[in-house]
Each structure stands twice: as C-alpha cells, then as structure tokens.
C-alpha cells in the first residue's frame, strides 16, 4: 500500500497502571514529542485476565503509545524492558506511515 505519510515507528506499551508514571518518565527522557494514554485497558495475557474494574490500579492495565523515530523507539524499549521484567506488560514496536500534516515536516 502506497502512502504519502512520514515513515515512523509506533511504540505501544501495555503496563500495570500503577507503573504508568514510570513509562511516561521513560518517554520524556527519551525525547518523545507526544503520546496518547488509554488509562484502562482489559484483556488476557500470560498473567491471566485483567478486567480493569478494580478499585485501585493494582489489577488494572494502561496503554501508552507514541510515534517516533527508530533511535528513540529503541531507547524507550530498552528502558521499558527493565520494567516489564517485574511487572505485567508488553512493548510493541511497529512501522507506521503517519498521514497528518504536522508529521510531514522533518522533526
């Protein structure tokens, strides 16, 4: 599929909600220009089903994603990997064609 979009990397991190601030810090330190947060996501993984209906963040997951270049995506994944060794989570990096006027400019 051809696109006029800018080639970027999409970094998606699903993590225990109580660790979201640490992931935001990782992204800020890596130099991302922005991100989107889904504060409560549900699903099933190797640690079982997460319903997202708890009274605290202990049994809730959150998702954060950003669009960035390959070097920053690598920095984020290296630091986030340290978190998911002790907490439920996954880091997904994929190619993205971003079709949005602001992303057409070189950043």
């Amino acid at each position: 599929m051809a696109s006029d979009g800018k080639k970027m990397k999409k970094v998606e991190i699903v993590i225990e909600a109580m660790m979201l601030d640490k992931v935001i810090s990782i992204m800020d330190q890596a130099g991302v220009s922005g991100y989107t947060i889904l504060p409560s996501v549900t699903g099933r993984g190797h640690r079982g089903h997460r319903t997202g209906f708890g009274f605290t963040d202990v049994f809730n997951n959150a998702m954060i994603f950003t669009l960035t270049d390959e070097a920053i995506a690598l920095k984020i994944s290296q630091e986030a990997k340290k978190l998911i060794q002790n907490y439920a989570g996954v880091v997904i990096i994929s190619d993205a064609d971003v079709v949005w006027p602001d992303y057409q400019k070189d950043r």
Side-chain angles (χ1 to χ4, degrees), residues 32-85:
V32 301
S33 60
Y35 47 78
T36 298
I37 296 172
L38 303 172
S40 182
V41 295
T42 64
R44 187 177 71 192
H46 68 279
R47 294 189 182 211
H49 187 258
R50 297 284 176 130
T51 62
F53 300 119
F55 293 107
T56 69
D57 287 342
V58 174
F59 297 109
N60 292 340
N61 284 345
M63 179 178 170
I64 183 169
F65 68 90
T66 190
L67 296 161
T68 191
D69 64 39
E70 189 168 357
I72 291 176
L74 181 60
K75 285 181 193 177
I76 293 168
S77 68
Q78 288 172 340
E79 292 301 313
K81 183 179 178 182
K82 295 173 188 175
L83 283 180
I84 63 175
Q85 289 177 352

